[in-house]
Amino acid sequence: MEQLQQVLSTPPPNWQPPLGAPPNAIAILHASLEHLRNTGDEQFLFLRSTLELLTNHGFLGASDSANNPTPLSGDEEQLLFHCVTGVRHVMLFRWEYFQPSFRSCVRDCLLAIGLGCYSAGSVALPRTFTMACLSSAASFWKRAWTTGASNDTSTQVQQDSQQNYLESLMTTNLMPSMQRFNSTDGQELFSYLNSLLVSPFEQSLQPMELMRRQHTGAMAASFLSLLVGEFTGGNSSARYNLPIEFHRLCHQVFENGNEEDAVSANGCKSGLDTTLQLSMGALSSFVGFMLNTDNNNNEAINNESLLDMGTSTVSLTFDVLSWEFGASSGKWDFSNGSTKKDGSSVLLRPPQRWREALINPEFLGAMFRVYSAVRVGNQHSLPRSLEEKRGKMAHQLRQLLLQLSSIAGGPIFADENERRAYAGFLLDGCMDALETILTENQQQGRSIEESDFMCAEVVDLVTMLNRLATNFRVQTLSQLTSFPRFLSAMSMVGKWLLEGSLAECERVQGDIECMEGLEWKYEAVSQILQCSEAMADDYWLVSGDAQTASDNLANVLAPLYGHYIACRVRMSSLEEHYLTQQGEDLDEIREMIWEFGVEEEMVSAASLGRLNISASLSTLARTFQQCVPRLMSLFEGVGNFCDMTAAMAALLEEARMLILCACHLLTDECEGETPSIPDAVCNACQLGRPSGNDCLASIVNLIELLRSVAEAQAMKVSAYPKESCLSPLLAKTLMWFFRRWGAAYVLPLSDDYHREGIFARWSTPESASPIISFCATLSLIYFCHWPQEKELQDESTALLLILAKKGPFVRQLMMVSPSFQQIAALHSICASLRHNASQAEIVASMSSFGGHLSVEAVKGYQRLPYSDRARVLTCLVVGCSDMDNDKSNAVLDSCLKAVSNHFWALCEALSKKQAKANDINVQESACLSILLYAIWSHDLLCSRSYYL
């Protein structure tokens, strides 16, 4: 050990410290350590120091047991860790250099030390060191897994005296009773580990011996997890200094066994199958021991060493079930760009040979009973260490059950009845756990923020429900007697979480950063919404056999949408009130992340609301009725030039969130697709349905209400554009709503639509013309009076463009709109006007064009960014693209001539030296002309080709 310390304290040859940094002991140590590993440690300093240090502290010796071991210091623990990792690195990189017997001896030595065979009394080896020993032993087992000792080419290595001496030292002097393994196929190893996994459950053991066996069993399970991880493809697998084909072969052999064994029914099982058998056997023994009435149940669940072993065993089973089947799968497949997967995969398809081990309802029930016993729940008098171990054990059990919920199909199920029964057991167990949580909180009246263990518990359980709904679908779950109970529990938990979040938000008065438990409650609600979305979007619900299931979803689960709307809108309003009151604002990055999260959340919530469109619309109508009168009152007070108050900002945010909810409920994102009315809305508005007329009337009333809100603010904007209590963000949201709604509902073109119900309401020119004229008017006002609101201009031009693309009928209605004609006139006037054009230039341009536009409107449009003017030109070209319409041709020619004339006039002035190229006004005119002319050339060709 002294020799190693001397080497590590001496800088390696030609080593230089990092540039600008003085040499220090830590930098020298790491450099020397790396140099020693890379040079092969020819004097075996790593291994010799490990054995010497363990012997000096009494962990190893001639008696093969520690009489009075002494604890390691922190520096010694670090040194041991680096020594073991050094042994691993050197042996893997110089594998052929070492004698086979020496390699197996080192492997077995590290395994014995890692398993705790040489820890006694109250002094144990540090876990970081023992896990490093087990990890190294697992690597050595993998390295020799595909080649037996008989055909190992490295058996011809010459005898080395140092290796012989160290081997003799370990087997004769230090560890004479060490378990040795003569074969490399793993069967002898698995037999030994199985004995360690079952021995802690033998009867009549002394407490100290029982604790020792439980610790050894836990470490045996940890070793098997590390072994599976090595074959799966851990991050350290690239350090074998071997090609990718080696790892693929190991993966295949560990999964399927050797070819000569795989073809024989009596052949040895593969390493993976044997590991599953061991893990399930140990897990069954652990579950049986915990539930045995002869044992003191309280003593069992409060035994920390037993809990450690149970946690390790559950974790092992989880790792085995996470296996990616296929010889070229996972980390070893670089040809097909496959992404990394883990145990949280939504869908698992284990092989049929695992059927007996996994599809066992009695075992699933026992697992839930053990979970119910070990969960911390409302026990507050437990020691902290015991509480943490029970919480960890419960978490691992939930993760395993969550993984078992991902087994949804494949050959592992004999038939659909067995598959349905399997889902039923998991569903019932999850329901029992959730209802226990709700009951505990109702009885004791404690808040949902008090227990960290309960937070993780709720998230895991609702995730399991989401997984069951996603994998087994409504058709299977609805045949279970517990299906209504499942929906009721989802609704109750969702309501509980939402109301708890709102209460916490009110407690902190909208300061979201100070809310306790915000992240986990948000995650739990998201899982519930995703579960609802998976069931609501199931195509089986439209079949004739799904009426009962549809009724259950509409009557039991859909009311959660109302609670979501009330709580979500109120929380956003409180947050905006706080931010305005404090003069704060979200930074741009956080705001983008927030908008993305809200978008996903709203989409899932909309699927929930569509389970019962009539009830959801009624909820929105009641909420709008409370909000809109106050909003109209705010608009009526515009003109006094008052400052924005926190109450005003909260009201505007409340209205904006309601519009978002309404838009997601009634429309789908249609970018890149033909816009269409959602099927749920179509079905709810059928005239033959009992509530069809009421649903249609609710939608019509909602649209009229939003039109009145948009019109009220737009009129105030035209009169008082600088008023601070008018909201560009609200205007943008309204334009976004009308863009998505108008694209689907106004003059629907699909041949599959029956001209009744919701389709007939805006399907005629008489009913559609006011809507189109209204949209054009809104765009005109915002072009002229809020030209610098970039996001608002984006939505305004997008609205006009998507209407123009709907077809010739819509374009004809746009052409007769006075507002659309004014937009065309403004473009023609301002095509030659720079941002800094003088009053005289504006008047001259208006005089040359004629018309009755106001100077204020022209000045406002003139202030539009050139890129926005170019997009307006695109809308005009597409809107006027009907060649058979004389009015369209006249408007289009006027728009294009305005661009062309200014462009060629500028070119002629430059060519004749009448304008100076370095003049700032000339340069800006050139930018405007080139941008508009490029748009003109491109859009003219596209419109004539595609919009006839």
Side-chain angles (χ1 to χ4, degrees):
M1 187 175 67
E2 293 180 357
Q3 186 177 358
L4 177 63
Q5 292 176 337
Q6 177 66 29
V7 170
L8 295 182
S9 61
T10 304
N14 301 323
W15 176 79
Q16 294 294 332
L19 185 63
N24 58 77
I26 300 298
I28 294 175
L29 186 147
H30 285 285
S32 301
L33 182 65
E34 183 178 2
H35 179 263
L36 182 60
R37 292 169 57 180
N38 293 337
T39 54
D41 187 20
E42 295 181 355
Q43 297 181 350
F44 298 91
L45 295 179
F46 287 135
L47 180 59
R48 288 164 47 197
S49 299
T50 300
L51 297 176
E52 180 182 350
L53 192 55
L54 291 177
T55 303
N56 291 341
H57 281 271
F59 291 100
L60 301 179
S63 63
D64 208 16
S65 63
N67 295 324
N68 294 299
T70 57
L72 299 166
S73 65
D75 292 339
E76 290 173 332
E77 179 181 346
Q78 286 188 0
L79 181 61
L80 276 176
F81 175 81
H82 288 300
C83 285
V84 171
T85 56
V87 170
R88 178 185 188 276
H89 177 89
V90 170
M91 291 194 66
L92 288 178
F93 269 68
R94 304 180 64 205
W95 187 260
E96 291 78 7
Y97 169 78
F98 300 103
Q99 300 170 180
S101 61
F102 178 75
R103 294 194 303 247
S104 64
C105 180
V106 174
R107 177 198 65 193
D108 299 342
C109 170
L110 294 179
L111 177 62
I113 294 174
L115 291 176
C117 298
Y118 298 94
S119 297
S122 59
V123 179
L125 289 170
R127 182 171 176 81
T128 54
F129 169 65
T130 56
M131 292 301 292
C133 291
L134 295 180
S135 177
S136 300
S139 300
F140 298 155
W141 273 104
K142 176 184 175 179
R143 181 61 179 80
W145 196 270
T146 58
T147 56
S150 60
N151 58 2
D152 191 347
T153 59
S154 63
T155 57
Q156 305 302 321
V157 174
Q158 295 182 355
Q159 295 295 314
D160 182 274
S161 58
Q162 271 192 304
Q163 295 181 33
N164 292 334
Y165 168 74
L166 289 173
E167 182 179 350
S168 174
L169 178 68
M170 287 184 285
T171 57
T172 304
N173 297 335
L174 300 181
M175 307 168 67
S177 62
M178 174 179 63
Q179 178 68 34
R180 297 300 307 274
F181 305 99
N182 298 320
S183 63
T184 59
D185 60 1
Q187 296 305 317
E188 189 178 355
L189 170 68
F190 289 132
S191 298
Y192 172 68
L193 294 174
N194 184 53
S195 65
L196 298 181
L197 291 172
V198 299
S199 63
F201 306 107
E202 297 178 4
Q203 301 294 328
S204 303
L205 291 175
Q206 294 298 322
M208 292 300 297
E209 176 64 16
L210 178 62
M211 183 181 300
R212 188 190 69 81
R213 292 193 181 188
Q214 289 170 349
H215 172 74
T216 304
M219 299 307 292
S222 298
F223 170 74
L224 283 172
S225 293
L226 292 170
L227 185 65
V228 172
E230 287 293 328
F231 285 95
T232 301
N235 294 329
S236 61
S237 294
R239 304 175 188 170
Y240 281 76
N241 197 29
L242 288 170
I244 191 66
E245 288 76 14
F246 165 79
H247 299 289
R248 288 175 174 168
L249 178 61
C250 287
H251 189 283
Q252 180 182 10
V253 172
F254 191 78
E255 176 184 324
N256 300 318
N258 292 319
E259 294 182 359
E260 57 270 18
D261 295 334
V263 298
S264 173
N266 298 324
C268 298
K269 292 183 178 180
S270 68
L272 183 63
D273 291 350
T274 306
T275 306
L276 176 67
Q277 182 181 0
L278 264 61
S279 66
M280 295 301 292
L283 194 57
S284 298
S285 299
F286 172 77
V287 170
F289 186 84
M290 294 289 290
L291 300 178
N292 190 348
T293 55
D294 295 335
N295 298 321
N296 189 326
N297 188 259
N298 289 330
E299 181 179 348
I301 63 176
N302 294 326
N303 185 333
E304 294 190 15
S305 58
L306 181 62
L307 291 173
D308 285 338
M309 180 178 178
T311 301
S312 299
T313 305
V314 173
S315 179
L316 169 61
T317 309
F318 180 89
D319 292 337
V320 175
L321 292 180
S322 302
W323 182 267
E324 297 179 51
F325 287 90
S328 61
S329 65
K331 289 180 175 291
W332 310 131
D333 188 5
F334 299 104
S335 59
N336 59 3
S338 61
T339 57
K340 177 182 178 181
K341 299 178 182 179
D342 54 25
S344 60
S345 177
V346 175
L347 186 62
L348 295 179
R349 293 187 179 275
Q352 187 175 10
R353 63 180 186 267
W354 287 12
R355 165 183 162 78
E356 182 179 353
L358 299 181
I359 309 304
N360 189 337
E362 294 182 359
F363 179 71
L364 289 177
M367 290 278 288
F368 275 108
R369 291 200 299 275
V370 170
Y371 171 72
S372 178
V374 301
R375 63 180 294 270
V376 176
N378 56 4
Q379 304 179 39
H380 303 290
S381 58
L382 297 175
R384 183 60 182 175
S385 61
L386 178 60
E387 187 181 62
E388 291 179 352
K389 290 184 181 297
R390 286 180 58 175
K392 183 178 180 180
M393 175 69 185
H395 175 72
Q396 289 293 339
L397 281 170
R398 291 195 303 271
Q399 293 302 303
L400 179 59
L401 291 169
L402 177 61
Q403 199 173 40
L404 293 173
S405 302
S406 302
I407 304 175
I412 197 168
F413 293 108
D415 51 34
E416 181 61 28
N417 290 332
E418 186 177 70
R419 181 172 177 269
R420 182 169 56 250
Y422 179 83
F425 273 101
L426 289 171
L427 193 65
D428 290 340
C430 190
M431 290 299 97
D432 292 338
L434 273 177
E435 290 173 355
T436 298
I437 295 174
L438 292 175
T439 301
E440 289 176 353
N441 282 269
Q442 290 174 355
Q443 290 178 349
Q444 300 191 10
R446 60 190 180 120
S447 66
I448 60 178
E449 292 83 15
E450 286 189 11
S451 172
D452 292 337
F453 297 106
M454 191 196 62
C455 302
E457 186 177 17
V458 172
V459 172
D460 288 342
L461 290 174
V462 295
T463 302
M464 190 184 305
L465 293 179
N466 182 22
R467 191 70 55 83
L468 289 170
T470 302
N471 292 338
F472 290 92
R473 314 299 293 172
V474 179
Q475 184 176 6
T476 298
L477 298 180
S478 61
Q479 299 179 47
L480 301 173
T481 56
S482 56
F483 184 64
R485 178 190 174 203
F486 160 56
L487 299 180
S488 178
M490 290 286 288
S491 181
M492 287 191 298
V493 173
K495 179 183 177 182
W496 173 57
L497 292 169
L498 289 168
E499 292 180 348
S501 299
L502 177 58
E504 176 66 11
C505 187
E506 290 175 339
R507 183 186 69 83
V508 299
Q509 298 180 353
D511 187 0
I512 301 297
E513 298 294 332
C514 293
M515 286 183 61
E516 297 180 2
L518 176 65
E519 291 80 9
W520 78 263
K521 281 180 281 189
Y522 174 81
E523 175 63 23
V525 171
S526 296
Q527 291 292 337
I528 293 175
L529 292 177
Q530 291 175 22
C531 177
S532 304
E533 182 181 12
M535 291 188 289
D537 294 343
D538 195 329
Y539 285 107
W540 179 76
L541 290 176
V542 301
S543 66
D545 301 330
Q547 188 58 49
T548 302
S550 298
D551 292 342
N552 283 329
L553 288 169
N555 297 328
V556 180
L557 186 59
L560 180 61
Y561 180 76
H563 297 291
Y564 170 80
I565 293 296
C567 295
R568 192 68 185 85
V569 172
R570 177 59 178 161
M571 288 177 62
S572 295
S573 177
L574 288 171
E575 181 183 10
E576 188 66 24
H577 187 281
Y578 172 81
L579 293 175
T580 306
Q581 190 175 51
Q582 300 298 320
E584 299 179 4
D585 199 2
L586 294 176
D587 61 79
E588 186 175 350
I589 301 299
R590 289 182 58 193
E591 191 166 357
M592 289 176 60
I593 296 174
W594 182 88
E595 288 181 357
F596 181 77
V598 168
E599 178 75 14
E600 286 190 333
E601 186 181 288
M602 290 287 186
V603 170
S604 299
S607 297
L608 173 63
R610 290 175 187 175
L611 291 171
N612 192 336
I613 286 287
S614 297
S616 300
L617 287 172
S618 299
T619 300
L620 281 174
R622 289 193 299 270
T623 314
F624 269 115
Q625 288 172 1
Q626 299 172 3
C627 174
V628 171
R630 294 181 289 129
L631 189 63
M632 291 299 193
S633 177
L634 173 63
F635 292 154
E636 290 174 1
V638 169
N640 298 324
F641 298 100
C642 57
D643 294 331
M644 174 71 74
T645 65
M648 292 177 182
L651 176 59
L652 291 170
E653 177 64 13
E654 180 182 347
R656 191 183 73 86
M657 289 297 295
L658 286 174
I659 296 169
L660 288 175
C661 295
C663 187
H664 282 290
L665 181 67
L666 296 178
T667 66
D668 290 321
E669 180 56 53
C670 56
E671 185 174 357
E673 301 177 0
T674 301
S676 60
I677 304 174
D679 292 337
V681 178
C682 298
N683 296 331
C685 294
Q686 290 179 3
L687 298 182
R689 296 176 65 92
S691 59
N693 289 329
D694 294 338
C695 185
L696 176 59
S698 297
I699 295 177
V700 173
N701 292 335
L702 178 60
I703 299 303
E704 294 301 321
L705 182 66
L706 293 179
R707 284 182 62 186
S708 66
V709 171
E711 182 179 2
Q713 176 168 251
M715 292 300 102
K716 293 298 181 179
V717 168
S718 64
Y720 307 100
K722 297 182 180 180
E723 185 70 41
S724 62
C725 59
L726 296 174
S727 172
L729 184 57
L730 178 63
K732 171 202 167 186
T733 306
L734 284 165
M735 298 297 281
W736 171 76
F737 173 87
F738 286 114
R739 173 174 64 83
R740 287 182 44 156
W741 171 81
Y745 287 76
V746 177
L747 293 177
L749 302 177
S750 175
D751 295 335
D752 297 332
Y753 288 171
H754 303 289
R755 296 300 176 182
E756 63 178 16
I758 193 66
F759 305 111
R761 182 60 184 84
W762 294 281
S763 63
T764 63
E766 293 77 16
S767 58
S769 181
I771 298 295
I772 294 173
S773 180
F774 168 76
C775 293
T777 302
L778 286 182
S779 299
L780 173 63
I781 291 175
Y782 294 137
F783 289 156
C784 295
H785 298 282
W786 271 348
Q788 298 300 313
E789 296 294 339
K790 176 67 176 174
E791 294 183 354
L792 177 57
Q793 304 310 325
D794 292 344
E795 287 297 337
S796 299
T797 53
L799 172 60
L800 292 178
L801 188 59
I802 202 168
L803 290 176
K805 288 181 177 180
K806 283 184 67 68
F809 294 107
V810 177
R811 290 196 287 271
Q812 291 174 11
L813 296 177
M814 293 178 72
M815 287 308 306
V816 300
S817 169
S819 297
F820 189 79
Q821 295 175 19
Q822 290 185 47
I823 294 173
L826 285 169
H827 162 76
S828 299
I829 293 174
C830 296
S832 61
L833 294 180
R834 310 175 311 277
H835 286 154
N836 62 345
S838 64
Q839 179 74 13
E841 291 175 301
I842 295 175
V843 173
S845 181
M846 293 178 64
S847 301
S848 63
F849 182 80
H852 304 284
L853 294 173
S854 65
V855 176
E856 289 76 12
V858 174
K859 285 184 176 180
Y861 191 91
Q862 173 206 4
R863 292 176 57 217
L864 271 175
Y866 296 155
S867 59
D868 290 329
R869 286 205 227 173
R871 281 204 299 270
V872 174
L873 176 58
T874 298
C875 299
L876 293 171
V877 171
V878 177
C880 302
S881 59
D882 293 325
M883 298 178 63
D884 296 334
N885 189 313
D886 294 337
K887 190 170 186 178
S888 296
N889 290 330
V891 173
L892 180 61
D893 291 341
S894 176
C895 293
L896 298 183
K897 283 182 179 179
V899 175
S900 178
N901 292 340
H902 179 62
F903 178 77
W904 290 114
L906 180 61
C907 292
E908 183 178 359
L910 289 171
S911 64
K912 294 182 178 181
K913 307 298 183 181
Q914 296 174 353
K916 296 181 180 180
N918 59 356
D919 184 87
I920 187 62
N921 292 331
V922 174
Q923 292 177 356
E924 187 169 353
S925 295
C927 291
L928 172 61
S929 299
I930 292 172
L931 183 59
L932 293 181
Y933 191 79
I935 294 294
W936 166 71
S937 302
H938 176 267
D939 289 343
L940 179 62
L941 176 61
C942 293
S943 65
R944 293 302 189 186
S945 302
Y946 299 105
Y947 299 109
L948 296 179

